[in-house]
Amino acid sequence: MKKLMMAGVWLLFMLTQNGFDAQAAEMDVKATWLWNPWMIYSDEAGTLAFLESKDVNKVYVQIDADIPVSVYRSFIEKAGVVGMAIYALDGAADWVAPKGFSKQDRLMSWLSVYQQGSAPDQKFAGVHLDVEPYLYSGWNTNRAATVKSYQALLMKAKTSTAALNLPLEADLPFWFDEISYKNTYGNGVLAKWVIANTHSVTLMAYRDSAARIMELVKNEIAYGEKYGKRVVVGVETGQTDEGDGISFYEEGEAFMDGELAAVSAYYAESKGFGGIAIHHVDSWKTMSP
């Protein structure tokens, strides 16, 4: 009996350790946006080599219906071999327009056909939406209605992705924790609502120092902890005219890596922290060392 009890304790220990390992693996995300899917059409091997050299394990790949599905299938299959999860990326500000939902419907329809016709190792691992309602004209003329339309769009996406058995993710600006809503979805803080209603968010915390990034993301990571969700911290590498302090373009990759390591270390014990995302492949490839 004593041996059986000890075996049971050991088994429980091993299962617990494996659980922690799985959780750690889930947290250890290094993602990027691939906005130009034609690069996997013209240079699949080169694109994969670059991503692998940067230890990327998650890629948000733009969906372009003009690209043959065989291109996506090949890329996903080969990326999977080297440990990369590929998420279908799409979205635009005008998706929150009165009839903008039709564009999201087209994406989901395309995905449904794609998934059904693909082998298990060629399927997308999830859906990643980049819908920025603040770039739509209605944000300034009727913000309440635009916010509600955005929420409706995400709820529709949640239903569609559930039918596809895929997790739903979304890009989120760091300042949505300052936007409130009061409508048929209740009332509260928009960032908190989005985090609660998606599987994960990638926070566009576009600043070029660890201290400023950590200050920007603290509320969202706390929301992630509350709702059992992962918040991935995204940073910019492209040249921008939005002012100093936005992108790591000027400082270079080595400096960026150091700052991101500091962010990851700071939030290492937080269950709401999901890793790092680099925006985006094209500018990252041309970034100074």
Side-chain angles (χ1 to χ4, degrees):
M1 176 64 79
K2 185 175 181 180
K3 288 183 178 179
L4 285 174
M5 289 179 64
M6 290 300 295
V9 170
W10 176 249
L11 178 61
L12 179 61
F13 173 76
M14 290 302 294
L15 288 173
T16 303
Q17 289 301 105
N18 287 338
F20 280 127
D21 289 345
Q23 185 184 65
E26 184 180 354
M27 289 181 67
D28 192 23
V29 165
K30 189 171 185 182
T32 190
W33 290 259
L34 198 158
W35 287 111
N36 177 18
W38 290 97
M39 69 171 57
I40 65 175
Y41 176 86
S42 61
D43 186 15
E44 178 188 68
T47 302
L48 281 168
F50 171 78
L51 295 170
E52 192 174 5
S53 74
K54 301 300 183 183
D55 297 319
V56 169
N57 55 22
K58 190 173 188 178
V59 189
Y60 317 137
V61 178
Q62 173 69 43
I63 299 304
D64 186 332
D66 291 333
I67 289 181
V69 293
S70 60
V71 173
Y72 286 109
R73 287 174 180 152
S74 175
F75 180 72
I76 292 173
E77 185 175 349
K78 291 172 183 173
V81 171
V82 292
M84 295 180 207
I86 309 300
Y87 277 56
L89 168 66
D90 206 357
D94 64 0
W95 282 24
V96 299
K99 295 185 179 180
F101 64 87
S102 63
K103 297 181 179 181
Q104 180 171 275
D105 287 346
R106 283 198 293 273
L107 167 67
M108 298 302 174
S109 177
W110 184 93
L111 272 173
S112 178
V113 173
Y114 176 91
Q115 296 288 92
Q116 289 175 30
S118 302
D121 60 353
Q122 298 171 339
K123 293 183 178 182
F124 287 96
V127 177
H128 192 95
L129 295 184
D130 183 81
V131 179
E132 302 179 38
Y134 44 90
L135 299 179
Y136 176 63
S137 59
W139 186 262
N140 295 320
T141 59
N142 192 341
R143 182 169 300 180
T146 302
V147 167
K148 184 180 178 182
S149 177
Y150 173 66
Q151 291 174 294
L153 189 80
L154 284 182
M155 293 305 290
K156 187 175 176 65
K158 189 176 181 180
T159 299
S160 298
T161 52
L164 293 169
N165 197 29
L166 291 174
L168 173 66
E169 300 183 347
D171 289 332
L172 195 68
F174 65 81
W175 48 270
F176 265 17
D177 58 3
E178 301 173 2
I179 303 297
S180 60
Y181 68 94
K182 184 176 182 181
N183 51 41
T184 53
Y185 296 103
N187 65 85
V189 176
L190 188 56
K192 188 183 292 187
W193 184 92
V194 175
I195 290 168
N197 285 286
T198 54
H199 182 265
S200 174
V201 300
T202 299
L203 198 65
M204 296 181 283
Y206 295 168
R207 294 294 184 270
D208 63 1
S209 75
R212 298 180 72 191
I213 292 168
M214 290 185 290
E215 178 64 24
L216 289 182
V217 305
K218 63 181 182 181
N219 289 340
E220 286 77 8
I221 289 179
Y223 300 154
E225 288 187 351
K226 178 178 180 179
Y227 293 109
K229 305 296 178 66
R230 303 292 185 189
V231 174
V232 176
V233 176
V235 296
E236 181 63 84
T237 61
Q239 191 171 15
T240 176
D241 58 3
E242 296 180 42
D244 293 336
I246 302 296
S247 174
F248 284 104
Y249 172 81
E250 295 85 3
E251 293 84 1
E253 188 169 14
F255 179 83
M256 176 182 75
D257 289 344
E259 296 301 286
L260 294 182
V263 172
S264 295
Y266 183 81
Y267 284 113
E269 302 302 318
S270 171
K271 293 180 180 179
F273 177 66
I276 297 295
I278 311 297
H279 188 264
H280 53 96
V281 172
D282 279 326
S283 55
W284 194 5
K285 286 179 73 173
T286 60
M287 195 177 188
S288 60

